[in-house]
């Protein structure tokens, strides 16, 4: 039977996310309090060490507590590989266990699961990074919504603009489509075009912060004042890449 477990700093318990068993056997719990039930195995995996045993009797004395859940689950021998990507601390483990009968794990067999474990580890690292980015974006949106502030970034090489949702609402831009800088220029009151153009150009050329007040003019004839602040961010010394 093979399992993929994950854990986090907030919850060090082993959470089973993937599982495959070729024969019937005792049910495998979704979550295991590894500190209580598998203290030795948890210590090994979280220290980036593989867990390898050909029989329960082969386990070291400090794994005495681990033998109980192994026996209850019908595990007779096994290999556990820590999941770690890019030198980061492990975020889970990939285990292959024999349940029908005990088996040996020759030295040439044990390294074989490692490439598989690396694939899983890299996938998990990407997933966690994407989740952290989404959570960061959600916190950012909550903060800006609460303060009535919108955020924007202009990529100077492409003149494409990233904005928070409330900026789209303020400028009455439709959701979901890319925003070229021309769309912003079109929304600015004709009498304020030159003021904005000079302010942006000066900030890019001098590296000074941008601080502008200008009007938005909408097709229905309404007008709204906006205060916009920014600063150039270089990608190379002396070369602004974003505003």
């Amino acid at each position: 039977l093979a399992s993929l477990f994950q854990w986090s700093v907030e919850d060090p318990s082993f959470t089973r996310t993937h599982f495959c068993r070729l024969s019937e056997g005792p049910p495998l719990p979704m979550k295991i309090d590894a500190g209580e039930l598998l203290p030795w195995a948890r210590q090994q995996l979280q220290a980036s060490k593989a867990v390898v045993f050909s029989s329960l009797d082969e386990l070291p004395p400090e794994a005495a507590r681990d033998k109980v859940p192994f026996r209850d689950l019908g595990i007779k021998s096994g290999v556990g590989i820590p999941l770690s990507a890019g030198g980061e601390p492990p975020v889970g483990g990939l285990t292959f266990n024999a349940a029908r009968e005990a088996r040996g794990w020759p030295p040439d067999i044990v390294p074989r699961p490692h490439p598989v474990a690396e694939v899983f580890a890299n996938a998990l690292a990407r997933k966690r990074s994407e989740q952290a980015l989404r959570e960061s974006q959600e916190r950012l949106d909550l903060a800006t919504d609460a303060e009535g502030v919108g955020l924007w970034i202009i990529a100077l090489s492409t003149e494409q603009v990233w904005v928070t949702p409330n900026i789209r609402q303020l400028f009455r831009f439709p959701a979901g489509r890319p925003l070229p800088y021309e769309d912003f220029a079109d929304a600015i009151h004709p009498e304020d075009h030159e003021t904005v153009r000079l302010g942006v150009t000066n900030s890019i050329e001098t590296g000074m912060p941008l601080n502008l007040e200008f009007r938005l003019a909408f097709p229905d004839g309404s007008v709204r004042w906006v205060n916009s602040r920014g600063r150039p961010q270089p990608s190379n010394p002396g070369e602004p890449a974003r505003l």
Side-chain angles (χ1 to χ4, degrees):
L1 54 94
S3 303
L4 191 150
F5 291 91
Q6 299 179 45
W7 61 75
S8 65
V9 175
E10 297 80 11
D11 184 4
S13 298
F14 286 4
T15 300
R16 174 173 60 83
T17 57
H18 299 79
F19 176 66
C20 176
R21 170 182 264 150
L22 298 183
S23 60
E24 295 296 324
L28 188 66
M30 290 293 297
K31 179 171 283 193
I32 297 176
D33 184 347
E36 175 66 24
L37 299 176
L38 298 169
W40 175 78
R42 185 186 74 162
Q43 184 181 42
Q44 293 294 107
L45 292 173
Q46 292 184 338
S48 299
K49 299 178 181 178
V51 172
V52 182
F53 59 97
S54 298
S55 70
L56 296 183
D57 293 336
E58 187 182 288
L59 289 168
E62 54 268 28
R65 191 181 299 178
D66 300 58
K67 290 182 180 180
V68 177
F70 284 152
R71 188 176 293 112
D72 291 342
L73 294 171
I75 294 173
K76 296 179 170 58
S77 59
V79 173
I81 309 296
L83 299 179
S84 177
E88 294 294 319
V91 295
L94 182 64
T95 63
F96 299 94
N97 299 297
R100 291 175 178 168
E101 60 184 20
R103 58 158 295 166
W105 304 97
D108 63 325
I109 293 291
V110 174
R112 294 185 185 180
H114 282 270
V116 180
E118 289 177 5
V119 172
F120 283 120
N122 288 323
L124 287 176
R126 287 194 301 272
K127 181 179 178 181
R128 293 189 175 205
S129 177
E130 291 167 358
Q131 177 65 25
L133 184 61
R134 283 195 298 270
E135 292 174 355
S136 176
Q137 180 65 52
E138 290 170 0
R139 289 193 295 269
L140 181 63
D141 290 344
L142 285 172
T144 55
D145 288 344
E147 296 297 329
V149 175
L151 304 180
W152 52 267
I153 298 174
I154 301 174
L156 299 179
S157 60
T158 63
E159 294 193 342
Q160 291 294 308
V161 186
W162 169 89
V163 296
T164 49
N166 46 2
I167 284 281
R168 286 184 181 268
Q169 183 178 8
L170 173 65
F171 280 74
R172 302 185 186 178
F173 293 146
R177 67 173 177 82
L179 286 177
Y181 181 72
E182 289 81 1
D183 286 8
F184 282 84
D186 291 343
I188 297 171
H189 194 288
E191 295 178 4
D192 294 341
H193 276 183
E194 187 66 8
T195 299
V196 174
R197 186 187 68 80
L198 291 175
V200 170
T201 301
N202 180 70
S203 179
I204 292 171
E205 291 180 351
T206 66
M208 297 296 292
L210 176 73
N211 190 351
L212 293 173
E213 285 192 355
F214 55 90
R215 290 165 291 177
L216 302 179
F218 300 108
D220 61 5
S222 60
V223 174
R224 188 165 187 176
W225 280 95
V226 174
N227 178 270
S228 186
R229 302 186 181 189
R231 64 185 178 200
Q233 293 186 342
S235 58
N236 296 309
E239 180 188 354
R242 297 179 298 174
L243 184 66

